[in-house]
Amino acid sequence: MNQLDFPILSLMMGLPMLAAIICLFVGAHAARLLALGTTLVLFALGVVLWANYEIGGPQWQYVERVELFGNFAWALGIDGISMMLIMLTVFLMPICIGASWESIQKRVGEYMAAFLFMEVLMIGVFAAQDIFLFYILFEAGLIPMYLIIGIWGGANRIYASYKFFLYTLLGSVVMLIAMLWMVQDAGTSDIPTLLNYDFAPEAQTWLWLAFFASFAVKMPMWPVHTWLPDAHVQAPTAGSVILAGVLLKMGGYGFLRFSLPMFPEASEQFIWLIFGLSMVAVVYTSLVALVQQDMKKLIAYSSVAHMAIVTLGLFAFNRQGIEGAIIVMLSHGLVSGALFLCVGVIYDRLHTREIDRYGGLSINMPKYALLFMLFTMASIGLPGTSGFVGEFLSLVGLYKVNSWVTLVATTGIILGAGYMLYLYRRVAFGELVHEDVKAMPDLSAREMALLAPIAAAVMWMGVYPESFMAPIRDDVGTLVARIDRAAPEGDAHLKMGQAKAVPTTLETEAGHGESH
Amino acid sequence: MDYRLSLIFTLPEIILSVSGMLLLLVAAWGGLKSARLISILAVVALFGSSAYALEFLTNPSFEFGGDAFYGLYRMDGFGSFAKLLIYFAAIVSLIIAPRFFKDVGSYRPEYPVLILFATVGMGMMVSAVDMMTLYIGLELNSLSAYVLASIIRNDVRSSEAGLKYFVLGSLASGMLLFGISLVYGFAGSTNFSVIADTLTGQLATGPLIGVVLVLAGLAFKISAVPFHMWTPDVYEGAPTPVTAFFASAPKVAAIALTVRVIIDAFGGQTSTWQQIIVFVALASIVLGAVAAIGQQNIKRLLAYSSINNVGFLLIGLAAGTAQGISAMLFYLVIYLAMTLGSFICVMEMRDSEGKPLESLSSLAGLSQTRPGLAAAFAIFMFSLAGIPPLFGFWGKFLVFDAAVAAGMLPLAVIGIAASVIGAFYYIKVVKIIYFDDPAGQIAKTGHKTENGLIGLMALAVSPLGYLTIPLLAPVTATAAQALF
C-alpha cells in the first residue's frame, strides 16, 4: 500500500464525488455547507498527503493500482510535482466555494455538485498513473466547466461555453489517437513505464504534435488562446478562479509529464515552435492586456503571458528552467485566482467589470486596496512574492539556452508591470468620482477569509520557496536526467578562461594581487 | 446433417415465429382488448429466445457453433450475441409502447405481433450464411417495419413515413437482390463460404458491380451515407416507440449482417470493400454531424445522430480485424443503451394532456422543471457525443483503437476530428435543456415505467458502465472471433 495504509488518493476522489451527488438532492444552504465541509476535509487530507510525503523517497508515492477496467487500470500515484498541483487544487477549492457563497443564488445544489465533480477530476488528472485514465479525467472536465460557464455565467455565456467546449475538445481528440498508438507500441498504458520507454524518433515527431495540440489549447498558448478571455469573462468568479488556477495548469502538467519525458528528441526538435509561440505570446498578449477595458479580460490575457513563461522554462531542458516553470505554475495559480477574486469582490458590489467605472478605491476600501496591491505585485513578480521566484528561475534556465529568447521574455516582465500597475492605478488610485463607487463597503469578513490565506501562501512562496521546491527537486532531477540526451546546446558558447602562467616570483605574485 | 441439431440451433427463431403466429390468432379473435395480454406474452417469448441465445453464447459445448439446414443458417457466438441485443431492444420497445399508443389513440394488438415477426427476421439476418436466408430475413424484417412505421393509420405523418420507408426500402432491396444475383452468377453459389472461395484475386467488372450493389443495399439498411435519406423522415414520422425500435434492433441486425457478409463472403476481397467502407464511414460521421446542426425536431436530430454513430461503428469494420468487430459489438451494446434511453426521454416529452412534443424548443429549461429527466437527457447527449467519463466514449475508444491497431491512422485521425463537429449539436441540446429559460410545456410528472427505464439506461452509460468492461470485453471478443 503506501505510507498511510489507506488509499488516500482514491478517498480524495471518492469523497467529493459522493458529496457532489448528495448536493444534487439537498437544499441551497445545505449544499453550500456540505460543499465547504467537503473541500475543507479534502484540504486537510491534502495536508496529510504533504506531511507524509517522503522527500527523497521513491519517485511514485501513495501508489494504488486496481485492474478494474480490462483495457486500463485504476492506477493512482503521485510524485512531488503532482502533489504540489494537488495541493494547489485542494487549497483553492474551499476558497472557490466561499467565493460563491452569496453571489450564486440560483440552482445552488447543481452548482456545488459541478464544483465538487470538478475537484474529483482535477485531483484525478494529477494523480492518474494510467494514460487512459488520465485522458478520461482530463476530458471529463469539459462537462462541469461547460455547465458552470453556461448556467451561471455572464450575459454572453452561451457563446463562451460553446467556444470553450469545442476548442478544448478539438485540441484533445487527436491526443487520444496518439495515446492509442503509444500504448500499442509500448504494450502498456502504465505512465511510469511509458516515461522510460523510448519511442522511435520519427514517431515521436507525430506523437509530440498530437499532444501539443491538446496541451497548447489547454495551456493556452498563442494563437489558440482565444477561448480563454471569453471563458474567463463569462464564467462566474469561482469558475474563473478554478479555470485560471488549476485547469490551465493541466496543459503545463501535460508538457511536463508527457511531451518532455516521453518524446525528448521531438521536444528538442520543436523547441523553435515553443520558443517562437511563447515569445509572441509574452509580448503580444501583454500588449493586448494593456488596452483592455474589462478587468477579467485583462487578467485573462496576463495569464496567457505568464503561461508562456512556463512553456519557455519547461523547454529550457535544465533544472532551473523546469523548477522555475513549476513554481510559476503554482504561483500563477494562487495569484491569478486571487486577482479574479479581487475582481469578483468589486463586481459583486457594482456588477460591472469595466475599469473606468471604478477609481479611488484605496480611499473607501483600504483593506481591499492593500490585498489587491499585494497580488498585483506578485503578478508582476516583485521579489518577496511568489511570482519573482518562478519567473527568475525560468528565465535563468532559459538564459542558459538562448539569450535572445530570454531577452524577449524578460520584456514580458516589464510589460507585465505596465499593465498591472496601470490597472491598479485606474482602480485603486485617483479620486472617488462615482457616487455608487463611494458607497461600496470594504472587504467583509468572508472576503477577507478568502483572500488572506492566498496572500499568506504568496508571501510564503516568495520568502521561503524551499518548502515548495524540496518535494519537486528529485522529480525534476529525474526528468532532467531523462531529457538530457536531447538537451539543446546553449547559444552562449562560454569559453573557459585561460589561467595566466603560474607566477613563481614574489614580484609577479604581488603584481597579480594588485590587479584584483 | 442432423435435422434435430438444425432445429435446436434455430430454436430462438422457432420460438418467436410460433408464438408470433399464435398471438396473431389471439389478436384476430381477441380484438383490441387483448393487446396488453399479447404484449406480455410477446415479452415472455422474447425472454425465452434470449435464454437460448444466451445458452448458445455461453455454453462451452456450443463454442464452435454449427450449421443448420445444409449451410443456410449458422448458429455461432456472433449471431447469438447480436440476437441478445436485438431481443433486448425488442423487449424495451414492447414495454414502452402501450402508454404511448393509449395517449395518441389506442394500443393495437398488431404492434407486438409485428415486433415479433420483425425480430424473427432480424434473427435470421444475423445468422444467415447464405444470400437466400439473408434476403428472406431482411425482407421479413423490412415488411414488418413498413407496417410498424404506419401503424397509426389515421395519422398523416405516420402513413407518410410508412410509405416512404416502403418505397425507398424496396429500391434498396432491389439493388441488393440485383447485387446478389450478379454475385451468384459469377460465384456459382449463394453460400458465403463458397463465394469467398470463388471470388479471389482481382475481381472482374461483373462481380465487382455485384459486390458494390450488395454493399449499397446493406448501406441502405444501416442508413449509412449516401443511402441515409429515408432515415430522418421515417424516424420523424413513425410513432416514437417504433422509432426507438428502428433505431435500435434493426440497426444492430443490419450492422451484424453487414459484418458477416463482408467478413464471411467478401473476406478475400479486402481491398475492394475496405475503401467503400472507409468512405461510407467518414461520410456518415461528417454528414450525420453537419446535417443535424440545423434540426429543430428532436427525432430528426436523433436520426442524424444514429447516422453519425453508424459511421463510427463502420470504422471498426473498416479495420477488418477481430479486434475491430469486437469493438463494434461493444459499441452496439452502448449504442443501444444511449439510443433507447434518448428515445424514451423523447417519449417523456409530452404536455400536460399527454400530447407528444417533438420540437427542441419545448425542451427549453427542462432542468428546472424536471431535473431528473434533464440530467438523464444530458447524460445521453454527452455520451452520444463520446465525451468521457460517460460510457459512450468507450465505444469510440474501442473502434479507434482497432483502427489504429490495423494501421489506419489517417482514418482514425479524420474520424475523431469529425466527432467534434457532432459534439456541437449534442451540446446544443444540453444548452437548451440547461441554459435556456423554462418553456414549461412539458408535463411535470413522468411515467413510472419510462422513468425506470431511463434511469436504468442512464446508469448503464454513466461512468459506472466502465465496470462492465471486464465482463463484456471477453464476450464480445469471443463473439467476434466466431467470424474468423
Side-chain angles (χ1 to χ4, degrees):
Chain A
M1 188 50 92
N2 57 46
Q3 49 265 59
L4 286 171
D5 291 325
F6 69 94
I8 183 164
L9 291 171
S10 289
L11 183 71
M12 286 178 79
M13 291 175 71
L15 209 60
M17 191 70 241
L18 191 70
I21 295 170
I22 297 173
C23 270
L24 288 174
F25 295 99
V26 296
H29 194 61
R32 284 192 190 108
L33 286 175
L34 179 63
L36 185 66
T38 312
T39 48
L40 284 174
V41 169
L42 276 174
F43 178 63
L45 283 172
V47 173
V48 172
L49 203 66
W50 194 353
N52 288 285
Y53 185 81
E54 290 167 26
I55 293 171
Q59 188 190 359
W60 303 101
Q61 304 191 14
Y62 305 104
V63 178
E64 302 167 24
R65 188 178 181 86
V66 191
E67 300 290 338
L68 208 52
F69 309 115
N71 299 42
F72 68 103
W74 178 262
L76 302 175
I78 53 171
D79 64 355
I81 303 169
S82 308
M83 188 187 66
M84 293 321 298
L85 288 165
I86 290 178
M87 279 312 296
L88 179 67
T89 311
V90 294
F91 177 72
L92 285 177
M93 274 312 285
I95 295 174
C96 283
I97 303 292
S100 325
W101 205 262
E102 280 162 12
S103 57
I104 301 296
Q105 289 299 339
K106 59 167 190 175
R107 298 157 87 176
V108 179
E110 284 164 293
Y111 180 87
M112 295 300 167
F115 267 87
L116 289 167
F117 184 49
M118 209 59 231
E119 183 167 24
V120 177
L121 299 174
M122 290 184 298
I123 294 174
V125 162
F126 296 131
Q129 285 217 307
D130 187 291
I131 198 162
F132 292 136
L133 185 66
F134 170 84
Y135 183 82
I136 288 175
L137 296 167
F138 184 79
E139 281 290 274
L142 293 181
I143 297 177
M145 210 57 215
Y146 173 71
L147 295 175
I148 288 171
I149 299 176
I151 300 179
W152 297 278
N156 201 11
R157 59 185 202 276
I158 311 273
Y159 171 74
S161 59
Y162 273 34
K163 195 168 178 181
F164 164 78
F165 192 97
L166 296 173
Y167 231 105
T168 23
L169 182 65
L170 183 62
S172 310
V173 286
V174 181
M175 180 169 79
L176 176 66
I177 301 292
M179 286 179 173
L180 291 170
W181 192 89
M182 285 163 67
V183 170
Q184 278 165 15
D185 191 55
T188 175
S189 58
D190 185 48
I191 290 179
T193 317
L194 284 169
L195 283 176
N196 292 308
Y197 183 86
D198 293 318
F199 292 99
E202 54 274 21
Q204 280 190 21
T205 306
W206 294 104
L207 296 173
W208 191 91
L209 283 172
F211 277 74
F212 174 73
S214 174
F215 298 142
V217 171
K218 205 84 175 182
M219 193 88 192
M221 292 178 76
W222 184 86
V224 286
H225 66 284
T226 59
W227 63 270
L228 182 77
D230 287 308
H232 267 320
V233 170
Q234 299 303 329
T237 303
S240 301
V241 174
I242 274 303
L243 200 56
V246 187
L247 289 189
L248 300 192
K249 308 302 169 287
M250 287 184 184
Y253 179 74
F255 279 127
L256 202 60
R257 180 68 77 228
F258 297 94
S259 301
L260 279 170
M262 289 186 192
F263 326 120
E265 277 80 17
S267 297
E268 200 273 336
Q269 190 188 338
F270 283 108
I271 273 192
W272 60 271
L273 181 66
I274 295 277
F275 281 4
L277 295 183
S278 303
M279 281 193 297
V280 175
V282 166
V283 178
Y284 169 77
T285 52
S286 298
L287 290 174
V288 172
L290 211 48
V291 296
Q292 291 307 313
Q293 294 303 317
D294 183 306
M295 278 188 267
K296 269 186 156 182
K297 232 176 189 157
L298 192 152
I299 300 168
Y301 278 109
S302 85
S303 292
V304 181
H306 281 116
M307 288 296 114
I309 305 271
V310 172
T311 43
L312 287 172
L314 287 177
F315 282 81
F317 280 71
N318 53 39
R319 177 178 282 281
Q320 288 84 350
I322 294 171
E323 280 185 357
I326 297 169
I327 297 291
V328 173
M329 274 160 60
L330 296 175
S331 153
H332 177 264
L334 295 172
V335 173
S336 68
L339 286 171
F340 278 120
L341 285 174
C342 286
V343 175
V345 165
I346 50 177
Y347 180 80
D348 285 346
R349 286 164 173 66
L350 212 57
H351 295 285
T352 175
R353 288 180 301 260
E354 208 181 319
I355 299 172
D356 293 341
R357 289 282 289 106
Y358 296 93
L361 285 186
S362 53
I363 300 169
N364 62 337
M365 298 175 73
K367 283 190 236 162
Y368 173 77
L370 180 71
L371 281 171
F372 191 18
M373 175 150 85
L374 173 72
F375 297 125
T376 303
M377 292 307 161
S379 178
I380 295 167
L382 199 76
T385 62
S386 58
F388 172 74
V389 182
E391 286 181 3
F392 177 74
L393 276 173
S394 308
L395 293 173
V396 166
L398 186 61
Y399 188 64
K400 284 186 171 178
V401 180
N402 197 317
S403 323
W404 290 105
V405 177
T406 317
L407 182 71
V408 176
T410 314
T411 61
I413 313 264
I414 300 163
L415 289 169
Y419 60 73
M420 285 313 294
L421 290 176
Y422 186 43
L423 168 73
Y424 190 75
R425 188 192 72 74
R426 283 183 289 170
V427 172
F429 294 155
E431 289 302 312
L432 264 176
V433 282
H434 304 290
E435 282 305 318
D436 45 2
V437 176
K438 242 179 240 176
M440 281 164 49
D442 205 352
L443 292 180
S444 68
R446 177 182 67 88
E447 287 158 347
M448 203 65 199
L450 299 179
L451 289 171
I454 306 187
V458 165
M459 304 280 277
W460 179 13
M461 203 185 282
V463 176
Y464 191 69
E466 174 62 17
S467 314
F468 303 90
M469 314 249 305
I472 64 174
R473 187 160 289 132
D474 284 350
D475 301 306
V476 173
T478 315
L479 176 63
V480 171
R482 167 84 183 147
I483 59 179
D484 194 46
R485 62 166 196 253
E489 215 178 312
D491 66 346
H493 303 299
L494 299 174
K495 277 207 187 107
M496 196 63 96
Q498 292 278 321
K500 282 185 180 169
V502 182
T504 44
T505 58
L506 275 171
E507 298 94 294
T508 45
E509 204 167 300
H512 183 73
E514 276 163 26
S515 72
H516 279 273
Chain B
M1 176 64 55
D2 189 347
Y3 212 74
R4 195 181 60 90
L5 266 184
S6 290
L7 288 177
I8 291 175
F9 290 162
T10 49
L11 259 179
E13 276 69 48
I14 293 175
I15 294 176
L16 289 182
S17 28
V18 170
S19 38
M21 284 183 272
L22 287 177
L23 292 177
L24 190 60
L25 293 179
V26 177
W29 270 281
L32 284 181
K33 290 191 298 295
S34 60
R36 196 161 267 272
L37 173 75
I38 293 176
S39 252
I40 293 166
L41 290 176
V43 170
V44 172
L46 283 165
F47 269 113
S49 293
S50 307
Y52 278 104
L54 191 65
E55 172 75 9
F56 292 151
L57 185 63
T58 50
N59 192 326
S61 55
F62 294 110
E63 195 185 346
F64 302 106
D67 285 335
F69 300 115
Y70 309 96
L72 284 173
Y73 178 103
R74 183 168 171 79
M75 185 283 293
D76 58 9
F78 179 78
S80 306
F81 186 82
K83 271 180 217 174
L84 277 178
L85 298 185
I86 293 166
Y87 296 158
F88 172 72
I91 290 170
V92 172
S93 315
L94 282 174
I95 294 175
I96 57 177
R99 155 87 193 214
F100 178 88
F101 285 110
K102 205 171 282 168
D103 281 344
V104 297
S106 64
Y107 183 47
R108 303 188 60 84
E110 287 87 350
Y111 177 82
V113 175
L114 283 167
I115 294 264
L116 277 187
F117 284 133
T119 313
V120 176
M122 289 186 276
M124 298 295 288
M125 283 159 76
V126 299
S127 301
V129 281
D130 189 288
M131 291 292 184
M132 295 322 292
T133 346
L134 175 158
Y135 189 74
I136 291 169
L138 196 66
E139 282 306 288
L140 180 54
N141 167 44
S142 299
L143 286 172
S144 315
Y146 303 146
V147 185
L148 276 173
S150 48
I151 195 153
I152 312 182
R153 53 187 175 187
N154 48 7
D155 180 65
V156 181
R157 286 199 314 160
S158 177
S159 317
E160 185 195 325
L163 188 63
K164 230 175 226 169
Y165 196 12
F166 174 67
V167 173
L168 289 171
S170 312
L171 182 72
S173 296
M175 281 200 290
L176 181 66
L177 208 50
F178 188 43
I180 290 175
S181 50
L182 277 175
V183 170
Y184 169 65
F186 284 92
S189 170
T190 52
N191 188 285
F192 287 180
S193 53
V194 179
I195 294 173
D197 291 341
T198 322
L199 297 183
T200 49
Q202 185 67 37
L203 284 186
T205 318
L208 188 64
I209 293 177
V211 171
V212 171
L213 282 174
V214 169
L215 290 183
L218 294 175
F220 179 91
K221 297 296 173 191
I222 58 177
S223 66
V225 176
F227 302 101
H228 64 284
M229 304 79 80
W230 59 277
T231 322
D233 290 338
V234 172
Y235 278 25
E236 185 192 354
T240 312
V242 177
T243 313
F245 179 68
F246 285 172
S248 51
K251 207 79 152 195
V252 176
I255 297 257
L257 171 73
T258 311
V259 168
R260 205 190 271 279
V261 170
I262 282 180
I263 303 292
D264 270 10
F266 304 141
Q269 293 296 327
T270 313
S271 57
T272 309
W273 58 258
Q274 201 161 38
Q275 47 183 326
I276 300 178
I277 296 296
V278 166
F279 167 77
V280 168
L282 288 180
S284 303
I285 292 174
V286 172
L287 192 124
V290 174
I293 291 173
Q295 300 306 324
Q296 294 303 321
N297 181 295
I298 182 80
K299 280 161 83 179
R300 279 188 93 82
L301 188 134
L302 287 172
Y304 282 107
S305 148
S306 90
I307 296 171
N308 183 258
N309 272 293
V310 164
F312 288 112
L313 275 161
L314 290 179
I315 285 182
L317 180 56
T321 54
Q323 190 194 355
I325 308 302
S326 145
M328 288 177 81
L329 291 175
F330 208 128
Y331 195 130
L332 279 173
V333 176
I334 304 168
Y335 170 77
L336 271 193
M338 297 188 296
T339 307
L340 287 171
S342 359
F343 275 109
I344 306 174
C345 282
V346 172
M347 291 179 57
E348 283 274 279
M349 291 167 57
R350 47 170 90 86
D351 61 19
S352 43
E353 281 143 31
K355 218 170 105 312
L357 299 166
E358 285 172 13
S359 73
L360 273 179
S361 55
S362 65
L363 279 172
L366 187 68
S367 66
Q368 294 176 54
T369 48
R370 297 277 300 275
L373 181 64
F377 223 134
I379 285 178
F380 294 130
M381 288 300 126
F382 279 126
S383 184
L384 280 166
I387 310 292
L390 297 166
F391 205 33
F393 165 73
W394 192 246
K396 292 198 170 66
F397 175 95
L398 287 174
V399 292
F400 283 117
D401 196 23
V404 170
M408 309 182 85
L409 277 173
L411 172 70
V413 170
I414 299 172
I416 204 161
S419 76
V420 178
I421 312 174
F424 175 74
Y425 67 85
Y426 292 121
I427 65 169
K428 190 176 117 187
V429 178
V430 176
K431 173 226 150 201
I432 293 171
I433 295 177
Y434 273 89
F435 304 171
D436 288 358
D437 292 324
Q441 292 180 22
I442 294 177
K444 293 270 191 297
T445 49
H447 186 234
K448 257 192 211 122
T449 325
E450 285 169 8
N451 285 344
L453 282 171
I454 291 173
L456 194 72
M457 306 288 174
L459 213 59
V461 298
S462 75
L464 291 177
Y466 287 89
L467 297 174
T468 63
I469 295 173
L471 198 73
L472 272 171
V475 182
T476 54
T478 331
Q481 205 55 49
L483 289 181
F484 288 87

